[in-house]
Amino acid sequence: MKRSMLAVAAALSVALGGAIPAEAAAIPNFPKPKIFGTTFQSDPGHDFTKHISSRKDGILRGWITHVGRTQVEYKPIKWKRDKYTEGYFVGPPEGDVTAYASPVAKNVVFLSAFGCSAKMTGTTVDKGGLGAKRCSRKALLTRAKSTRPSLITVYRGQIVKVQEIYTP
């Protein structure tokens, strides 16, 4: 009896001692795409000729293009090298129907590369150039109107995490 109580106490201390929020712990550890990948990510089996729908579970390098009442629309992006600069992100060409729509989870994790205010002053990035400042769902929906490149995590048909990619 004493041993089992010690085992339970040890397990609880490990579980409670972690710095991972409960909602983040529930998201599977999907493989991240290359941040500056030069091709659009595929979504095998997705039928773009039907109504706009959610992407399969995983992480998409993309940007949000429209914020609606019940869901947001988003598109894949890729890095385009440039002769005179380092490059820039581009979406699918005009007329391409590659787009998705998903509701944003109530407890979405939004990691901003420019802080939480609408003024976007200063940078808040990790060593890899990804957003590190946790901001509210409201900040995400406000910021989404400016098509910021991000890693968008979809799980069970909802956007559960958005991590901005720093681009000067």
Side-chain angles (χ1 to χ4, degrees):
M1 178 77 164
K2 201 175 198 180
R3 279 190 201 158
S4 63
M5 289 179 67
L6 285 173
V8 170
L12 279 173
S13 68
V14 168
L16 295 175
I20 301 171
E23 65 271 7
I27 302 169
N29 191 15
F30 296 115
K32 281 187 181 178
K34 287 184 180 179
I35 296 170
F36 295 99
T38 55
T39 59
F40 292 116
Q41 292 172 256
S42 64
D43 192 8
H46 193 96
D47 188 356
F48 293 101
T49 62
K50 295 182 179 177
H51 69 282
I52 189 167
S53 61
S54 184
R55 187 179 196 284
K56 68 177 181 182
D57 289 355
I59 302 174
L60 175 73
R61 180 184 55 253
W63 51 35
I64 296 172
T65 56
H66 176 74
V67 178
R69 277 187 36 240
T70 59
Q71 58 188 7
V72 297
E73 293 179 16
Y74 51 104
K75 293 184 176 187
I77 58 174
K78 67 178 182 177
W79 185 253
K80 183 171 181 169
R81 300 186 194 283
D82 188 39
K83 184 176 179 180
Y84 302 105
T85 66
E86 292 180 32
Y88 51 94
F89 283 105
V90 295
E94 189 69 32
D96 188 312
V97 295
T98 307
Y100 307 97
S102 301
V104 177
K106 297 274 186 236
N107 58 348
V108 66
V109 175
F110 173 44
L111 299 172
S112 171
F114 298 97
C116 298
S117 74
K119 295 178 184 177
M120 294 178 27
T121 57
T123 57
T124 53
V125 295
D126 63 14
K127 292 178 184 177
L130 295 172
K133 173 76 173 167
R134 179 133 187 198
C135 301
S136 69
R137 182 178 192 273
K138 183 179 177 183
L140 166 64
L141 295 176
T142 301
R143 180 84 48 86
K145 297 172 185 166
S146 64
T147 60
R148 294 289 320 148
S150 304
L151 295 181
I152 301 168
T153 304
V154 177
Y155 182 54
R156 296 183 178 165
Q158 292 188 334
I159 295 174
V160 294
K161 183 178 179 182
V162 176
Q163 190 170 19
E164 286 184 330
I165 301 171
Y166 175 74
T167 54

PDB file of all heavy atoms in Angstrom, residues 115-129:
ATOM      1  N   GLY A 115       5.136  40.140 -30.392  1.00  0.00           N
ATOM      2  CA  GLY A 115       4.409  40.583 -29.217  1.00  0.00           C
ATOM      3  C   GLY A 115       2.911  40.499 -29.425  1.00  0.00           C
ATOM      4  O   GLY A 115       2.437  40.130 -30.493  1.00  0.00           O
ATOM      5  N   CYS A 116       2.158  40.855 -28.417  1.00  0.00           N
ATOM      6  CA  CYS A 116       0.705  40.680 -28.460  1.00  0.00           C
ATOM      7  C   CYS A 116      -0.073  41.923 -28.871  1.00  0.00           C
ATOM      8  O   CYS A 116      -1.244  41.823 -29.199  1.00  0.00           O
ATOM      9  CB  CYS A 116       0.205  40.206 -27.094  1.00  0.00           C
ATOM     10  SG  CYS A 116       0.873  38.606 -26.616  1.00  0.00           S
ATOM     11  N   SER A 117       0.550  43.092 -28.861  1.00  0.00           N
ATOM     12  CA  SER A 117      -0.199  44.299 -29.196  1.00  0.00           C
ATOM     13  C   SER A 117      -0.412  44.407 -30.699  1.00  0.00           C
ATOM     14  O   SER A 117       0.310  43.809 -31.501  1.00  0.00           O
ATOM     15  CB  SER A 117       0.529  45.550 -28.692  1.00  0.00           C
ATOM     16  OG  SER A 117       1.650  45.824 -29.506  1.00  0.00           O
ATOM     17  N   ALA A 118      -1.398  45.188 -31.093  1.00  0.00           N
ATOM     18  CA  ALA A 118      -1.715  45.384 -32.511  1.00  0.00           C
ATOM     19  C   ALA A 118      -0.611  46.154 -33.233  1.00  0.00           C
ATOM     20  O   ALA A 118      -0.486  46.072 -34.453  1.00  0.00           O
ATOM     21  CB  ALA A 118      -3.043  46.118 -32.654  1.00  0.00           C
ATOM     22  N   LYS A 119       0.214  46.882 -32.475  1.00  0.00           N
ATOM     23  CA  LYS A 119       1.284  47.679 -33.085  1.00  0.00           C
ATOM     24  C   LYS A 119       2.451  46.825 -33.562  1.00  0.00           C
ATOM     25  O   LYS A 119       3.253  47.261 -34.366  1.00  0.00           O
ATOM     26  CB  LYS A 119       1.780  48.730 -32.097  1.00  0.00           C
ATOM     27  CG  LYS A 119       0.730  49.745 -31.761  1.00  0.00           C
ATOM     28  CD  LYS A 119       1.241  50.740 -30.747  1.00  0.00           C
ATOM     29  CE  LYS A 119       0.132  51.691 -30.349  1.00  0.00           C
ATOM     30  NZ  LYS A 119       0.568  52.629 -29.328  1.00  0.00           N
ATOM     31  N   MET A 120       2.554  45.604 -33.061  1.00  0.00           N
ATOM     32  CA  MET A 120       3.613  44.665 -33.449  1.00  0.00           C
ATOM     33  C   MET A 120       5.005  45.281 -33.314  1.00  0.00           C
ATOM     34  O   MET A 120       5.800  45.277 -34.243  1.00  0.00           O
ATOM     35  CB  MET A 120       3.379  44.151 -34.875  1.00  0.00           C
ATOM     36  CG  MET A 120       2.146  43.316 -35.000  1.00  0.00           C
ATOM     37  SD  MET A 120       1.695  42.669 -36.621  1.00  0.00           S
ATOM     38  CE  MET A 120       3.158  42.518 -37.527  1.00  0.00           C
ATOM     39  N   THR A 121       5.294  45.800 -32.149  1.00  0.00           N
ATOM     40  CA  THR A 121       6.604  46.407 -31.903  1.00  0.00           C
ATOM     41  C   THR A 121       7.505  45.404 -31.204  1.00  0.00           C
ATOM     42  O   THR A 121       7.071  44.696 -30.302  1.00  0.00           O
ATOM     43  CB  THR A 121       6.475  47.671 -31.036  1.00  0.00           C
ATOM     44  OG1 THR A 121       5.813  47.324 -29.825  1.00  0.00           O
ATOM     45  CG2 THR A 121       5.689  48.743 -31.761  1.00  0.00           C
ATOM     46  N   GLY A 122       8.740  45.339 -31.625  1.00  0.00           N
ATOM     47  CA  GLY A 122       9.698  44.419 -31.026  1.00  0.00           C
ATOM     48  C   GLY A 122       9.512  43.010 -31.538  1.00  0.00           C
ATOM     49  O   GLY A 122       8.519  42.680 -32.179  1.00  0.00           O
ATOM     50  N   THR A 123      10.506  42.176 -31.278  1.00  0.00           N
ATOM     51  CA  THR A 123      10.417  40.788 -31.710  1.00  0.00           C
ATOM     52  C   THR A 123      10.436  39.868 -30.505  1.00  0.00           C
ATOM     53  O   THR A 123      11.083  40.146 -29.500  1.00  0.00           O
ATOM     54  CB  THR A 123      11.592  40.419 -32.645  1.00  0.00           C
ATOM     55  OG1 THR A 123      12.811  40.666 -31.960  1.00  0.00           O
ATOM     56  CG2 THR A 123      11.546  41.198 -33.929  1.00  0.00           C
ATOM     57  N   THR A 124       9.702  38.787 -30.614  1.00  0.00           N
ATOM     58  CA  THR A 124       9.634  37.778 -29.565  1.00  0.00           C
ATOM     59  C   THR A 124       9.782  36.424 -30.238  1.00  0.00           C
ATOM     60  O   THR A 124       8.796  35.723 -30.461  1.00  0.00           O
ATOM     61  CB  THR A 124       8.299  37.876 -28.801  1.00  0.00           C
ATOM     62  OG1 THR A 124       7.217  37.830 -29.744  1.00  0.00           O
ATOM     63  CG2 THR A 124       8.206  39.162 -28.012  1.00  0.00           C
ATOM     64  N   VAL A 125      11.009  36.087 -30.604  1.00  0.00           N
ATOM     65  CA  VAL A 125      11.246  34.851 -31.357  1.00  0.00           C
ATOM     66  C   VAL A 125      12.236  33.943 -30.635  1.00  0.00           C
ATOM     67  O   VAL A 125      13.037  34.392 -29.826  1.00  0.00           O
ATOM     68  CB  VAL A 125      11.777  35.149 -32.781  1.00  0.00           C
ATOM     69  CG1 VAL A 125      10.749  35.871 -33.608  1.00  0.00           C
ATOM     70  CG2 VAL A 125      13.059  35.942 -32.748  1.00  0.00           C
ATOM     71  N   ASP A 126      12.161  32.661 -30.988  1.00  0.00           N
ATOM     72  CA  ASP A 126      13.132  31.712 -30.467  1.00  0.00           C
ATOM     73  C   ASP A 126      14.338  31.653 -31.400  1.00  0.00           C
ATOM     74  O   ASP A 126      14.403  32.395 -32.387  1.00  0.00           O
ATOM     75  CB  ASP A 126      12.489  30.335 -30.262  1.00  0.00           C
ATOM     76  CG  ASP A 126      11.998  29.693 -31.556  1.00  0.00           C
ATOM     77  OD1 ASP A 126      12.368  30.148 -32.662  1.00  0.00           O
ATOM     78  OD2 ASP A 126      11.242  28.706 -31.467  1.00  0.00           O
ATOM     79  N   LYS A 127      15.276  30.782 -31.129  1.00  0.00           N
ATOM     80  CA  LYS A 127      16.498  30.684 -31.930  1.00  0.00           C
ATOM     81  C   LYS A 127      16.223  30.273 -33.375  1.00  0.00           C
ATOM     82  O   LYS A 127      17.001  30.564 -34.259  1.00  0.00           O
ATOM     83  CB  LYS A 127      17.465  29.690 -31.293  1.00  0.00           C
ATOM     84  CG  LYS A 127      18.029  30.167 -29.984  1.00  0.00           C
ATOM     85  CD  LYS A 127      18.933  29.121 -29.376  1.00  0.00           C
ATOM     86  CE  LYS A 127      19.415  29.573 -28.009  1.00  0.00           C
ATOM     87  NZ  LYS A 127      20.244  28.558 -27.367  1.00  0.00           N
ATOM     88  N   GLY A 128      15.118  29.593 -33.614  1.00  0.00           N
ATOM     89  CA  GLY A 128      14.778  29.134 -34.961  1.00  0.00           C
ATOM     90  C   GLY A 128      13.996  30.145 -35.783  1.00  0.00           C
ATOM     91  O   GLY A 128      13.621  29.879 -36.914  1.00  0.00           O
ATOM     92  N   GLY A 129      13.697  31.317 -35.204  1.00  0.00           N
ATOM     93  CA  GLY A 129      12.950  32.338 -35.922  1.00  0.00           C
ATOM     94  C   GLY A 129      11.442  32.179 -35.835  1.00  0.00           C
ATOM     95  O   GLY A 129      10.708  32.753 -36.630  1.00  0.00           O
TER      96      GLY A 129
END
